[in-house]
């Protein structure tokens, strides 16, 4: 990711990302799942709290290793266009509660539920909104809504998602801080003519205690649940519902490079 500020008011950023996941189970979808994303974003500060935004992002996913199973169905691409005004006031001593929002449009070429080799373009409004409240001097509470599109491993195409989350962070004392987050999302594949919904839920808590200026003890608990039992397009070999509990205990180290 590259970011360049040309003036006090104007900023340009660009991003390129590639990810590859390998399935331990051989399926008709292949052995590997890849995603590629690239795009650029231009922001111009109109006022202290508002930016004019113009951006475009392209995202493509693909399955690798499907040749042995015969014909491959097309993997639709995703085009996100951001054109409009973003509202993001800053927290101050006088302003302890703020609301932010940003929006755009997503164009997806989606396959038909009755014919995976035929596609139709769908348009969907996407965006983010959040409300943040500062509690005391060191605690922050944030509630967020997100409406967007993306790719999910195991599905043959983009998905529409709606997500909500609540997060709090803060310090009990100068050495001890807490992070806690709860999230829920639901969505559906972009298949034209199909009604298949799925949902996910997450809980993430982390307690960190500084031992000195470079070392900190960390304890983290993560709960994750997903339910794809209503999705007929789920790749064979993957469980339709999963619940997972994870406990991590470790040490964080900060070491300057210079």
């Amino acid at each position: 990711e590259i970011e360049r500020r040309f003036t006090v008011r104007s900023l340009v950023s660009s991003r390129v990302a590639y990810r590859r996941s390998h399935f331990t189970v051989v399926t008709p979808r292949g052995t590997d799942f890849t995603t590629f994303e690239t795009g650029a974003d231009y922001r111009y500060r109109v006022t202290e709290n508002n930016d004019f935004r113009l951006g475009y992002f392209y995202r493509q996913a693909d399955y690798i290793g499907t040749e042995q199973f015969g014909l491959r169905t097309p993997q639709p691409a995703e085009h996100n266009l951001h054109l409009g005004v973003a509202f993001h006031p800053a927290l101050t001593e006088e302003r302890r509660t703020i609301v932010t929002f940003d929006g755009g449009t997503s164009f997806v070429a989606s396959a038909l539920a009755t014919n995976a080799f035929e596609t139709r373009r769908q348009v969907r409004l996407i965006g983010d909104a959040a409300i943040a409240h500062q509690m005391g001097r060191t605690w922050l509470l944030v509630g967020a809504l997100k409406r967007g599109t993306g790719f999910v491993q195991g599905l043959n195409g983009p998905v529409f998602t709606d997500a909500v989350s609540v997060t709090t962070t803060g310090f009990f004392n100068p050495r001890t801080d807490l992070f806690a987050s709860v999230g829920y999302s639901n969505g559906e594949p972009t298949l034209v003519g199909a009604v298949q919904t799925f949902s996910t839920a997450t809980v993430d808590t982390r307690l960190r205690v500084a031992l000195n200026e470079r070392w900190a003890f960390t304890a983290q608990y993560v709960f994750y649940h997903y339910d794809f039992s209503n999705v007929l397009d789920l790749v064979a070999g993957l469980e339709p519902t999963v619940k997972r509990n994870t406990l991590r205990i470790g040490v964080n180290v900060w070491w300057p490079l210079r």
Side-chain angles (χ1 to χ4, degrees):
E1 185 171 349
I2 301 175
E3 187 175 284
R4 173 71 183 274
R5 184 174 295 278
F6 290 94
T7 67
V8 176
R9 291 178 176 268
S10 62
L11 174 71
V12 175
S13 62
S14 62
R15 181 173 71 244
V16 177
Y18 177 81
R19 180 177 180 180
R20 181 166 181 166
S21 301
H22 178 71
F23 293 114
T24 58
V25 179
V26 178
T27 72
R29 296 277 170 81
T31 58
D32 295 76
F33 178 79
T34 65
T35 58
F36 172 76
E37 180 181 359
T38 185
D41 198 44
Y42 171 77
R43 289 178 179 265
Y44 181 83
R45 173 156 292 189
V46 181
T47 67
E48 181 182 357
N49 300 323
N50 296 278
D51 287 351
F52 168 76
R53 183 184 181 189
L54 175 62
Y56 168 77
F57 290 90
Y58 169 86
R59 187 181 298 150
Q60 173 72 55
D62 196 14
Y63 288 95
I64 299 175
T66 60
E67 295 79 5
Q68 58 181 312
F69 297 97
L71 294 176
R72 296 180 57 186
T73 57
Q75 190 74 6
E78 179 186 335
H79 305 268
N80 291 331
L81 176 64
H82 297 271
L83 175 61
V85 176
F87 180 69
H88 52 78
L91 287 167
T92 64
E93 292 185 1
E94 296 78 19
R95 184 194 296 156
R96 305 182 69 85
T97 302
I98 61 172
V99 175
T100 65
F101 63 84
D102 199 351
T105 306
S106 180
F107 301 87
V108 180
S110 306
L112 299 180
T114 55
N115 185 357
F117 292 92
E118 184 178 350
T119 61
R120 289 182 184 175
R121 176 164 294 180
Q122 296 191 65
V123 180
R124 182 182 177 93
L125 295 177
I126 58 176
D128 301 272
I131 180 170
H133 176 68
Q134 185 173 351
M135 303 176 294
R137 299 181 61 183
T138 63
W139 288 87
L140 182 66
L141 179 66
V142 179
L145 297 172
K146 181 178 179 63
R147 181 178 178 88
T149 58
F151 291 97
V152 175
Q153 298 180 29
L155 298 183
N156 190 36
V159 297
F160 295 138
T161 58
D162 296 296
V164 59
S165 65
V166 177
T167 303
T168 184
T169 58
F171 283 83
F172 293 108
N173 55 56
R175 288 180 172 269
T176 307
D177 70 286
L178 175 72
F179 167 86
S181 178
V182 178
Y184 174 81
S185 69
N186 63 62
E188 60 181 346
T190 59
L191 288 172
V192 179
V195 180
Q196 306 174 32
T197 60
F198 62 86
S199 63
T200 67
T202 59
V203 176
D204 187 356
T205 60
R206 186 207 66 210
L207 181 68
R208 184 171 55 188
V209 180
L211 304 177
N212 54 44
E213 63 180 7
R214 293 183 179 178
W215 294 77
F217 169 81
T218 302
Q220 184 180 20
Y221 168 75
V222 178
F223 168 79
Y224 177 72
H225 168 69
Y226 72 72
D227 185 357
F228 284 81
S229 56
N230 294 326
V231 178
L232 303 179
D233 195 41
L234 187 66
V235 64
L238 297 182
E239 293 291 337
T241 59
V242 167
K243 289 184 179 181
R244 181 177 299 127
N245 295 274
T246 304
L247 178 63
R248 302 187 182 103
I249 297 177
V251 175
N252 288 350
V253 180
W254 294 268
W255 199 268
L257 298 178
R258 293 185 180 179

